[in-house]
Amino acid sequence: MSILVKNLTKLYAQNGKTAQKAVDTISFAIQPGEIVGFLGPNGAGKSTTMKIATAYLPPTAGTVEVNGFDVQTDSIAVRRSLGYLPEHNPLYLDMYVKEFLQFAGSLHGLRGSTLNRRTSEMIELVGLPLEQRKKIGQLSKGYRQRVGLAQALIHNPPVLILDEPTTGLDPNQLTEIRQVIRTIGREKTVLFSTHIMQEVEALCDRVIIINRGRIVADGLLNQLRETSDGSVVVVAEFEQDLGDETVLLNGIPGVRHVEVLDENRYRLTADKGTDLRAAVFRLAADKNLTLVGLKQQESSLEGIFKELTMNNEQ
Ligand code: ADP
Ligand code: MG
């Protein structure tokens, strides 16, 4: 197992008193090679979980293993096994890109030709060849994120933990950084946090949703879509007004409801698992109706996320 979290709880002490549980008895397991989105609103406990998994903070209760090593009893082995891009990507702005990456590599014990080779490979991988001689302070946010990713990867760890790697990027930078993460994800296990549902959809198959310190969903995106309600909704547009023949749509097996949107557009709602598009297409062919549009509406993951994390503001 790449990351194994068991009954993890974290309480932060404040002014000598213990505050609310930032993380409350959570468990999950991530297999080698998975890219998993760790999703939740601000304050949900994402960064706290990641800081514990990277051996930066001790747990109050429970355990975390990375690559088979326990974060409390084997923290050096844990740090060797993972690359970490912390929230807000702290960097030394006065250092040059290449100099910083060599420094980061040397902290991991890389020396001489190995250090030089790894530094060049990382500059290539994250797309920094033209910036390598610039000071980090001169780089745009998108390029700073690349430097952050490169330092996380310099020692070639099997596991990557990225805390909101795309927050604050403009749309072009966002696409570029996602592409870099996708490339990295081909060879590594990646756990990344975000509060944007589309990000999870763009990058991975599996999502773990956390809210107020508790896990409220863990599964494949398509499973999550199904468990929300599961209804299949299709909008069919015909060349002609169906008039009395609208009842034919009601007759399709599994269809629960037909709504007339305008004279020749109809919204059909059917039970989970119904292959509605094929059925509408066959019906049109049988009855000599000209079908000019057929679109399946996915239940929105954004909606599911809101539903699961709604009580956050309490
Ligand atoms: P997220 O990364 O999902 O936004 P965090 O893990 O940063 O959430 O925070 C979870 C909860 O723990 C929040 O209520 C936050 O205010 C609290 N918290 C985080 N860090 C500390 C800290 N160092 N001391 C006290 N409370 C903290
Ligand atoms: Mg955070």
Side-chain angles (χ1 to χ4, degrees):
M1 206 64 67
S2 282
I3 303 176
L4 185 60
V5 174
K6 269 197 213 155
N7 299 321
L8 178 67
T9 294
K10 180 71 186 179
L11 290 160
Y12 288 107
Q14 272 174 344
N15 311 323
K17 292 186 295 187
T18 42
Q20 111 236 36
K21 286 180 182 165
V23 172
D24 187 0
T25 340
I26 66 168
S27 300
F28 59 84
I30 298 178
Q31 310 277 354
E34 278 192 289
I35 304 188
V36 178
F38 194 34
L39 189 73
N42 286 328
K46 303 180 296 295
S47 296
T48 302
T49 305
M50 290 180 145
K51 283 175 194 164
I52 296 170
T54 50
Y56 272 76
L57 279 182
T60 307
T63 57
V64 181
E65 283 177 21
V66 176
N67 213 19
F69 302 109
D70 185 286
V71 292
Q72 284 193 284
T73 57
D74 250 337
S75 70
I76 299 291
V78 166
R79 282 167 220 242
R80 272 196 200 115
S81 306
L82 62 80
Y84 177 36
L85 177 62
E87 199 174 20
H88 311 310
N89 188 13
L91 293 169
Y92 295 109
L93 301 183
D94 281 336
M95 286 180 99
Y96 294 92
V97 171
K98 192 170 176 183
E99 177 194 23
F100 173 72
L101 292 178
Q102 282 182 321
F103 169 67
S106 69
L107 292 180
H108 281 287
L110 303 179
R111 300 279 180 269
S113 61
T114 316
L115 179 59
N116 286 334
R117 179 178 51 80
R118 282 300 294 168
T119 304
S120 311
E121 283 171 3
M122 289 309 100
I123 286 170
E124 204 56 47
L125 176 72
V126 304
L128 283 168
L130 300 176
E131 280 71 27
Q132 58 179 306
R133 287 176 222 293
K134 289 187 185 164
K135 275 194 176 176
I136 294 172
Q138 297 171 327
L139 302 182
S140 67
K141 180 116 174 55
Y143 277 92
R144 287 185 199 186
Q145 287 305 87
R146 290 174 194 244
V147 176
L149 286 169
Q151 67 74 27
L153 284 160
I154 191 102
H155 55 302
N156 201 16
V159 180
L160 272 184
I161 295 185
L162 313 174
D163 197 353
E164 303 211 14
T166 60
T167 296
L169 301 183
D170 71 33
N172 292 335
Q173 295 169 338
L174 200 76
T175 316
E176 288 163 12
I177 290 296
R178 280 183 189 160
Q179 190 52 49
V180 176
I181 295 173
R182 218 174 275 127
T183 309
I184 296 165
R186 288 195 205 118
E187 291 181 7
K188 314 260 176 206
T189 309
V190 182
L191 176 66
F192 74 93
S193 68
T194 175
H195 53 263
I196 311 163
M197 196 57 158
Q198 287 94 323
E199 185 121 303
V200 175
E201 290 189 275
L203 281 173
C204 55
D205 298 328
R206 178 172 163 206
V207 61
I208 297 172
I209 304 182
I210 184 170
N211 187 41
R212 308 175 91 207
R214 309 206 66 137
I215 289 182
V216 292
D218 177 0
L220 300 177
L221 285 181
N222 45 14
Q223 286 171 349
L224 197 64
R225 280 197 189 98
E226 279 184 12
T227 48
S228 67
D229 163 345
S231 304
V232 184
V233 179
V234 153
V235 174
E237 186 177 352
F238 296 89
E239 201 172 54
Q240 59 277 70
D241 185 348
L242 295 194
D244 291 345
E245 291 189 305
T246 308
V247 292
L248 293 172
L249 298 176
N250 286 291
I252 295 174
V255 168
R256 286 203 309 265
H257 180 66
V258 178
E259 190 186 341
V260 183
L261 297 177
D262 43 54
E263 63 257 31
N264 45 11
R265 286 195 326 131
Y266 304 84
R267 183 188 287 130
L268 291 79
T269 307
D271 297 334
K272 186 172 167 174
T274 310
D275 192 359
L276 208 46
R277 282 181 299 181
V280 172
F281 194 78
R282 274 196 301 271
L283 177 92
D286 286 350
K287 304 289 172 192
N288 257 330
L289 302 168
T290 312
L291 191 63
V292 292
L294 189 59
K295 200 163 178 235
Q296 181 143 349
Q297 295 183 339
E298 303 269 8
S299 48
S300 118
L301 283 169
E302 204 66 49
I304 297 166
F305 175 62
K306 282 206 185 103
E307 212 172 278
L308 289 168
T309 59
M310 226 162 27
N311 59 355
N312 186 53
E313 306 299 333
Q314 282 173 8

